Amino acid sequence: MLDYETLKLIWWLLVGVLLIGFAIMDGHDMGVGILLPFLGKNDVERRVMINTVAPHWDGNQVWFITAGGAIFAAWPVVYATAFSGMYWALLLVLFALFFRPVGFDYRSKLPNPAWRSFWDWGLFAGSAVPALVFGVAFGNLLQGVPFHFDESMRSFYTGSFWALVLNPFALLTGVVSVAMLTLQGATFLAHRTEGPLQARARNAATLFGVLLIAGFAGAGVWVSGMEGYVITSAIDTNAAMNPLMKEVGRVPGGWLANYGKIPLLWLVPAIGLGGALLAVLMVRAGRNLLAFVGSSLACLGIIGTAGVSLFPFIMPSSSDPRSSITAWDAVSSHYTLWVMFWVALIFTPMVLAYTGWAYRVMRGKVTDEFIRANDKVLY
């Protein structure tokens, strides 16, 4: 059996992999949903857009569900604290997500234009709202969330929904998140469509790629001057779960400390910026598949940057820094992590193999002619 400290580190990496997988796989579904009311100029074009992602979107939800399940099982304190503190924000995400399965299944059941337009905007809301809230959540993590534990480890959230949402830095990270997933959707559309719709997708990829580069660079400059969190006492990385067994301080530029210790980590934000730039250059050159690879690298680099900057913190506390939750003191038991490690080792390759097979079988362009020829059976 691997030692406890190694398993804690492995599960920090695995949760990160699941979040990146979610952004890449479900991200292009959401990006297409965000663009749906704007790029499709008639009903056939909007059905083309929907059918580029319709065979895969529910399978891609596995990444989202698995990431939530992994946080629950590996980091129960994080799950309980985040879900109670950010209760209204997560309910907003849940209600928005309701529009996705219903919209995909029912939009084309009736020919009424008002009915179809309603579900187009429903799919937009079901895609844009989660993208925005997830970005806002990361912005709040970097600023610290107002919560604390009492001596019996009960968590108390002392902020408000509006304080989480309406602060400038969180809004900036929300914009970065929306731009990242919309770029992912636009490059996917450019790869799977042709004609005027493809041209509009390429223009959208350029616009949101530039917005992503500017927003991510701006957030990086902002973070460099922000107070970051550091552990100021000794910490036992093999200890059982107890976030109160340490001292934490805040120092200007603290979120850059890991890059100072290991300069090679600067490659992570460089991949984020370079991936977005590659996506823009490739989509303008008509190399649409390479553009999608570039936008996927941007997802990897941007989410990886948040993780590397925060490490070992997962959920810093702004009201009581000692209560901050880290990768060392918020995890399940040694045995639980070990069992989950083997489950992940066995089932993750199976999920990847199935996903690869599904995309290979359903590859190729989705065209107007294909939609008209299969009008009664497609979404």
Side-chain angles (χ1 to χ4, degrees), residues 174-195:
V175 169
V176 170
S177 174
V178 172
M180 180 179 74
L181 299 190
T182 309
L183 171 64
Q184 186 75 345
T187 54
F188 186 75
L189 275 178
H191 174 59
R192 293 296 307 278
T193 61
E194 58 185 23

Side-chain angles (χ1 to χ4, degrees), residues 24-210:
I24 292 174
M25 301 305 296
D26 214 18
H28 70 257
D29 299 345
M30 289 186 168
V32 171
I34 293 169
L35 293 169
L36 180 62
F38 308 105
L39 295 195
K41 299 303 182 187
N42 54 52
D43 183 63
V44 173
E45 285 191 347
R46 292 181 180 179
R47 291 188 72 183
V48 167
M49 294 176 69
I50 289 172
N51 281 281
T52 59
V53 297
H56 309 291
W57 80 269
D58 44 358
N60 291 336
Q61 294 282 296
V62 169
W63 290 95
F64 180 52
I65 296 167
T66 307
I71 292 173
F72 170 74
W75 299 339
V77 177
V78 176
Y79 189 89
T81 306
F83 274 66
S84 57
M86 301 180 181
Y87 186 76
W88 291 110
L90 292 169
L91 267 184
L92 181 63
V93 170
L94 185 62
F95 287 138
L97 287 173
F98 286 161
F99 282 102
R100 284 162 58 80
V102 185
F104 279 122
D105 284 336
Y106 286 94
R107 179 194 179 278
S108 298
K109 299 294 185 187
L110 296 177
N112 186 311
W115 169 267
R116 294 189 174 188
S117 177
F118 171 80
W119 288 113
D120 290 342
W121 286 102
L123 287 168
F124 166 79
S127 304
V129 171
L132 179 66
V133 172
F134 293 151
V136 166
F138 270 100
N140 279 284
L141 289 181
L142 287 162
Q143 295 176 104
V145 180
F147 72 93
H148 65 273
F149 296 107
D150 65 9
E151 295 305 320
S152 60
M153 289 301 297
R154 290 183 302 170
S155 67
F156 295 87
Y157 177 73
T158 55
S160 69
F161 170 78
W162 296 113
L164 284 175
V165 175
L166 297 180
N167 67 82
F169 181 72
L171 289 175
L172 174 60
T173 54
V175 169
V176 170
S177 174
V178 172
M180 180 179 74
L181 299 190
T182 309
L183 171 64
Q184 186 75 345
T187 54
F188 186 75
L189 275 178
H191 174 59
R192 293 296 307 278
T193 61
E194 58 185 23
L197 179 57
Q198 184 189 53
R200 290 195 288 274
R202 291 171 60 192
N203 289 337
T206 305
L207 173 65
F208 284 96
V210 172

